[in-house]
């Protein structure tokens, strides 16, 4: 027997013997529509009256133009309610997208961390509060943008007097031209006490970005108990 889905009009070829007198539930394999299908009608008994039978075969009746997918595989036939289970979705694209997202995040964190380490002097110049954070991480920073480099101390005797000579280089690591402040030199003994200090002005007033200049300062008859030296920029009032 031929079944037709009342929802999408898809036609199926079904075995009439599978239908009980009370009918049964049928689900369309194409659209999933569920309906109750009555059994095919039983053949009527032959009439007692004699009728004239036309032996001429009837002309073939043209079948109507079939719709797309007119005949589909056998429908799902069940006595109970039918539960349609959707096939699992492919998870590979989602997992791949998630993995790429994490990789991009890690790359951004690495770039930001490298930039924060490599340009810490420039960052401390623009944001001086960050200098304490870098100091807590054990990294030297310079919030002023100026850096004292290659400091050397030398003792000598001149005209019977002891002379302490301090030399070094002052460099501008910042992104803009900066004024050159005074430099303070402190002499410290073994007990970490400051015995003497003095300030001096390097030979230039300003330094452009990337520019450096050498400096030298001298002290006659420094304290003999001085064992250590502290060199830094002088604060206001010193």
């Amino acid at each position: 027997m031929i079944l037709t889905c009342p929802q999408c009009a898809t036609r199926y070829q079904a075995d009439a013997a599978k239908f009980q007198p009370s009918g049964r539930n049928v689900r369309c394999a194409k659209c999933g529509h569920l309906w109750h299908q009555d059994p095919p009608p039983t053949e009527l008994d032959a009439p007692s009256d004699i009728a004239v039978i036309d032996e001429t075969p009837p002309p073939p009746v043209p079948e109507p133009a079939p719709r797309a997918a007119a005949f589909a595989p056998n429908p799902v036939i069940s006595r109970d309610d039918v539960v349609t289970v959707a096939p699992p979705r492919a998870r590979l694209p989602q997992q791949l997208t998630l993995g790429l997202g994490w990789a991009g995040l890690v790359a951004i964190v690495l770039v930001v961390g490298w930039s924060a380490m490599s340009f810490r002097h420039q960052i401390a110049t623009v944001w001086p509060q960050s200098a304490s954070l870098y100091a807590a991480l054990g990294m030297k920073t310079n919030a002023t943008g100026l850096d004292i480099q290659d400091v050397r101390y030398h003792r000598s005797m001149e005209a019977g007097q002891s002379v302490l000579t301090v030399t070094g280089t002052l460099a501008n690591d910042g992104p803009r031209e900066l004024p050159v402040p005074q430099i303070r030199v402190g002499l410290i003994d073994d007990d970490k006490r400051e015995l003497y200090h003095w300030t001096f002005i390097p030979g230039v007033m300003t330094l452009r970005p990337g520019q450096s200049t050498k400096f030298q300062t001298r002290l006659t008859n420094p304290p003999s108990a001085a064992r250590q030296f502290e060199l830094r920029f002088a604060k206001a009032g010193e």
Side-chain angles (χ1 to χ4, degrees):
M1 61 180 295
I2 297 176
L3 304 181
T4 303
C5 175
Q7 183 71 21
C8 65
T10 302
R11 303 174 67 194
Y12 299 93
Q13 183 72 38
D15 186 3
K18 295 182 178 181
F19 286 82
Q20 299 178 0
S22 60
R24 68 190 312 168
N25 291 337
V26 180
R27 182 184 293 278
C28 179
K30 180 179 180 182
C31 68
H33 179 67
L34 180 67
W35 76 93
H36 182 78
Q37 179 64 47
D38 294 328
T42 58
E43 295 182 359
L44 300 177
D45 296 336
S48 57
D49 297 335
I50 298 175
V52 178
I53 301 176
D54 188 0
E55 297 292 341
T56 304
V61 179
E63 292 286 339
R67 299 185 182 180
F71 287 92
N74 292 335
V76 180
I77 302 175
S78 175
R79 297 180 181 177
D80 303 325
D81 293 338
V82 180
V83 178
T84 303
V85 180
R89 296 181 179 179
R91 298 180 57 85
L92 181 59
Q94 181 180 2
Q95 293 178 351
L96 181 60
T97 303
L98 183 60
L100 292 176
W102 278 108
L105 179 60
V106 171
I108 292 174
V109 172
L110 292 178
V111 170
V112 172
W114 176 84
S115 301
M117 298 300 103
S118 301
F119 301 100
R120 61 182 182 273
H121 298 295
Q122 291 84 345
I123 295 175
T125 301
V126 178
W127 184 28
Q129 292 82 356
S130 64
S132 58
L133 176 61
Y134 285 114
L137 298 176
M139 290 178 289
K140 180 182 178 181
T141 57
N142 185 3
T144 63
L146 298 175
D147 190 20
I148 301 175
Q149 306 171 352
D150 302 327
V151 178
R152 300 178 184 275
Y153 305 92
H154 176 68
R155 289 179 180 268
S156 62
M157 296 295 296
E158 296 182 7
Q161 293 182 330
S162 175
V163 177
L164 173 65
T165 303
V166 181
T167 60
T169 301
L170 184 63
N172 183 359
D173 296 330
R176 61 181 183 274
E177 185 174 1
L178 297 173
V180 177
Q182 291 185 347
I183 297 179
R184 183 182 189 276
V185 183
L187 304 182
I188 303 173
D189 62 9
D190 291 334
D191 296 329
K192 309 298 180 181
R193 295 178 301 178
E194 184 176 83
L195 303 177
Y196 185 79
H197 76 269
W198 77 97
T199 61
F200 68 95
I201 301 176
V204 295
M205 299 299 296
T206 62
L207 285 177
R208 295 187 301 273
Q211 185 181 8
S212 62
T213 183
K214 295 183 180 298
F215 63 82
Q216 174 178 304
T217 181
R218 294 159 57 92
L219 177 65
T220 303
N221 294 325
S224 59
R227 296 292 182 270
Q228 300 179 17
F229 306 91
E230 180 189 54
L231 197 68
R232 61 175 175 83
F233 294 111
K235 298 179 183 179
E238 289 184 330

